[in-house]
Amino acid sequence: MVDSVSIVSGADVVKINISNSHNDAVSFERRYSKSLKISEFKAKLEPITGGLAGTMRLELYSGDRLVAKLDDDNQLLGYYPVEDGMRVHVIDNFAFVQENVQKFELSQDEYDKKQDSVRSYLKRNKLGKYNEEEVAQLERERKKQEEEDARKLEQAEIGSRCKVTTKGHPTRLGTVMYKGELEGKTGVFLGVKFDEPLGANDGTCEGKRYFECPPKYGSFVAAKAVEIGDFPPENDGLDDEL
């Protein structure tokens, strides 16, 4: 077992930003020793956030990505992958603060002008949705997936043979029996009758029938999970379904 003290070496001080769940303010570039225990670190955060060391929970972020939860009070700060420029978010009920500080709300324009908000922090560092290149890439991927799903739906005629593949499960073979919306759900689904009793239903969803098949032979799946083709019957596995 590696002693946590040995992890803290070299640059013992880390420069991080502090935010909290009580308001949207960020305290920038606070310096802390990596050799502090988390319990000691929490105590130092009390005057900054108004939270209580005994009840606060800490999360470590790089931009808007959660890196770790600092959940061991006896562990050292340097035990966690904390680096300069990261943000520690303090979560607490802030009972004392909420009882003694008058609540106020900012207009959208006033909020946008704040320099110590989480939004301002993300904008300044071009993180998350404020990274134009990343957002553009995600949008391209979304459109590509939509086009692929539309193509699959067009190919999926009633009676078409298909292969269904979903994350974490092997494939299943079957026949498309239904194409359309499901009551109470968003999107277009394909109703598939599998070659073997490896499904979730008998062609019904929440009590409404969409196609006929024996129990455990039917499932409703998203287009992205389906490939249309000349697939002969074959024994195979399970997947996520409605």
Side-chain angles (χ1 to χ4, degrees):
M1 181 176 179
V2 179
D3 191 325
S4 60
V5 176
S6 65
I7 298 175
V8 183
S9 59
D12 183 54
V13 175
V14 65
K15 184 167 60 177
I16 54 181
N17 306 307
I18 308 297
S19 62
N20 67 84
S21 60
H22 173 61
N23 55 47
D24 200 43
V26 179
S27 181
F28 293 102
E29 299 188 345
R30 293 276 178 167
R31 297 175 181 270
Y32 297 97
S33 171
K34 292 183 180 180
S35 61
L36 285 172
K37 286 187 176 181
I38 295 300
S39 58
E40 298 170 330
F41 180 44
K42 286 181 176 179
K44 290 183 177 294
L45 295 177
E46 282 188 344
I48 299 173
T49 65
L52 297 176
T55 56
M56 68 174 60
R57 293 176 287 117
L58 307 182
E59 295 179 340
L60 179 66
Y61 284 85
S62 176
D64 59 353
R65 178 178 63 86
L66 176 63
V67 175
K69 294 184 178 182
L70 313 186
D71 52 7
D72 187 343
D73 283 350
N74 294 316
Q75 195 56 267
L76 302 184
L77 178 60
Y79 169 79
Y80 296 94
V82 58
E83 299 178 2
D84 286 347
M86 286 187 171
R87 175 170 57 92
V88 170
H89 186 62
V90 178
I91 303 171
D92 200 0
N93 57 18
F94 296 97
F96 177 78
V97 174
Q98 291 173 355
E99 290 174 359
N100 292 277
V101 177
Q102 183 178 0
K103 182 178 179 181
F104 66 97
E105 296 183 358
L106 296 176
S107 68
Q108 189 63 47
D109 288 343
E110 289 172 325
Y111 181 77
D112 288 338
K113 293 175 182 178
K114 282 173 63 66
Q115 296 301 308
D116 62 347
S117 68
V118 173
R119 181 187 297 176
S120 176
Y121 171 80
L122 295 175
K123 281 184 176 180
R124 203 163 35 248
N125 293 279
K126 295 183 179 180
L127 298 168
K129 65 180 181 181
Y130 300 108
N131 184 324
E132 293 183 3
E133 182 177 342
E134 181 178 343
V135 171
Q137 177 62 28
L138 290 174
E139 180 63 15
R140 287 193 294 270
E141 292 176 357
R142 184 188 66 81
K143 288 183 177 180
K144 182 178 179 181
Q145 184 64 60
E146 285 184 351
E147 292 171 357
E148 179 66 13
D149 290 350
R151 182 187 64 80
K152 288 185 175 183
L153 284 172
E154 186 177 352
Q155 288 182 336
E157 298 179 355
I158 304 302
S160 299
R161 289 289 295 169
C162 66
K163 177 170 66 175
V164 176
T165 306
T166 54
K167 185 178 180 181
H169 299 280
T171 59
R172 287 180 292 183
L173 300 180
T175 302
V176 175
M177 302 292 290
Y178 173 80
K179 178 170 67 173
E181 298 180 349
L182 301 178
E183 188 173 310
K185 300 188 182 297
T186 302
V188 177
F189 293 85
L190 295 177
V192 178
K193 176 184 176 182
F194 293 116
D195 295 340
E196 296 182 284
L198 299 173
N201 54 56
D202 62 351
T204 63
C205 181
E206 297 185 356
K208 182 175 180 178
R209 178 165 299 283
Y210 292 89
F211 64 93
E212 297 285 346
C213 73
K216 298 297 183 181
Y217 275 81
S219 285
F220 296 94
V221 295
K224 64 181 179 181
V226 177
E227 180 182 350
I228 302 299
D230 184 17
F231 299 109
E234 178 179 305
N235 296 335
D236 219 313
L238 305 167
D239 81 53
D240 293 331
E241 64 229 3
L242 297 174

